Amino acid sequence: MGVLAGRTALVTGASRGIGRGIAERLGRDGARVGVHYGRNEAAAKETVAAIEAAGGSAFAVGVELGLPGDAEALWEEFDRHADGVDILVNNAAIGNSRPIEEIGEPDYDELFAVNVRAPFFIVRHGMRRLRDGGRVVNISSGLARTAVFPHAMAYAMTKGALDVFSRDLSKVLGPRGITVNSVAPGIIDTDNTAEMLHGTEGGWDRAAAISALGRVGETADVADLVAFLASEGGRWVTGSWVDATGGSLT
Ligand code: NAP
């Protein structure tokens, strides 16, 4: 029996990358996992299959975020599979690394709609489904705390807003024994960073050199931390910004 046996989790953006890593880890720990995706149903099914192959239980929830009514649509879909949630991980997000001169209003609005508005309303409409003693983890970014990549400013701003949401929400949900934290990854090898890491000469080595540990992060580096916060051991950590950058900010 895993430490999360009997718990239900929902991980947004779990078809690929960090979200998939988190979903697989929570599944291994015994949680039944809702694997949310936007457009990539095949990848979500792969995540579900991987969790089941490891002896766990999972189901896919497909809803594109960033559109009006997205959060309610997500919960309607979720409700077809489960009657409540113990662990909610707001992970789905989009990036944008164009300089301020090249960010149009539609780009800005889309970033905030997917990265900030969606998690806000997923929580807002999920509060009655979230069980007492539960966990909310919002996946932020080290870029909310450093100007080392100023061309990612608008993206970093969305993560700053998410961090304020985590901090204040912890006071709202605390009386119910629900913890809320931001987990901030550094550079992790995913589709999101593929161009920088694999498509640019020297990109991998430069990224590795940013971390104090001299390597590029893996999805499991973030997933293991989220699993700790989701576990009983994480019960006294709330309202926190948890650094998962491998020392990239030191
Ligand atoms: P990724 O590989 O690009 O995967 C993104 C995931 O989010 C996919 O499952 C995708 O679903 C989903 N998603 C994206 N836009 C969506 C939308 N509009 N509606 C519904 N689902 C959507 O990303 P990642 O690198 O794993 O990043 C995961 C989280 O970590 C994000 O919050 C990101 O900001 C944060 N982060 C990443 C890094 C890094 O170096 N990778 C560093 C710091 C923070 P589909 O498969 O259906 O498209």
Side-chain angles (χ1 to χ4, degrees):
M1 291 275 276
V3 295
L4 298 180
R7 306 281 170 89
T8 300
L10 172 63
V11 183
T12 68
S15 44
R16 298 181 284 116
I18 293 169
R20 176 174 177 161
I22 294 168
E24 290 191 20
R25 172 64 204 266
L26 297 181
R28 277 204 303 283
D29 284 355
R32 183 159 178 257
V33 187
V35 173
H36 164 265
Y37 66 96
R39 297 180 181 173
N40 207 330
E41 184 180 8
K45 284 184 170 166
E46 278 178 29
T47 306
V48 169
I51 292 170
E52 289 174 345
S57 169
F59 54 90
V61 177
V63 171
E64 186 162 352
L65 302 177
L67 305 174
D70 52 2
E72 283 167 299
L74 182 148
W75 287 117
E76 268 174 37
E77 179 71 20
F78 177 88
D79 289 345
R80 295 198 185 103
H81 302 273
D83 60 4
V85 64
D86 303 284
I87 302 156
L88 169 61
V89 183
N90 282 307
N91 164 80
I94 52 174
N96 190 316
S97 40
R98 293 205 300 280
I100 185 169
E101 296 84 352
E102 294 176 21
I103 297 277
E105 289 183 9
D107 304 316
Y108 182 95
D109 288 346
E110 187 188 17
L111 275 170
F112 275 79
V114 176
N115 296 6
V116 184
R117 198 188 67 180
F120 180 91
F121 283 100
I122 288 170
V123 169
R124 154 98 169 70
H125 294 298
M127 274 160 76
R128 66 182 170 83
R129 290 151 172 114
L130 201 53
R131 295 197 186 99
D132 291 358
R135 304 282 191 263
V136 177
V137 179
N138 294 319
I139 304 300
S140 178
S141 167
L143 292 183
R145 295 278 172 105
T146 175
V148 72
F149 293 126
H151 48 278
M153 181 195 305
Y155 164 79
M157 287 165 65
T158 68
K159 296 303 188 178
L162 194 66
D163 292 343
V164 172
F165 180 44
S166 295
R167 187 193 67 199
D168 287 12
L169 186 66
S170 69
K171 294 280 191 174
V172 175
L173 295 180
R176 295 176 49 198
I178 299 169
T179 68
V180 185
N181 293 288
S182 275
V183 165
I187 301 171
I188 307 292
D189 185 16
T190 69
D191 294 347
N192 201 15
T193 49
E195 178 58 31
M196 172 179 61
L197 293 174
H198 304 285
T200 314
E201 201 180 333
W204 183 275
D205 291 341
R206 275 195 299 279
I210 291 173
S211 98
L213 298 167
R215 68 171 174 84
V216 173
E218 299 168 7
T219 59
D221 294 324
V222 182
D224 288 354
L225 181 54
V226 173
F228 168 72
L229 292 172
S231 74
E232 178 59 16
R235 66 189 173 281
W236 200 235
V237 183
T238 194
S240 283
W241 190 88
V242 187
D243 184 316
T245 72
S248 299
L249 304 179
T250 53

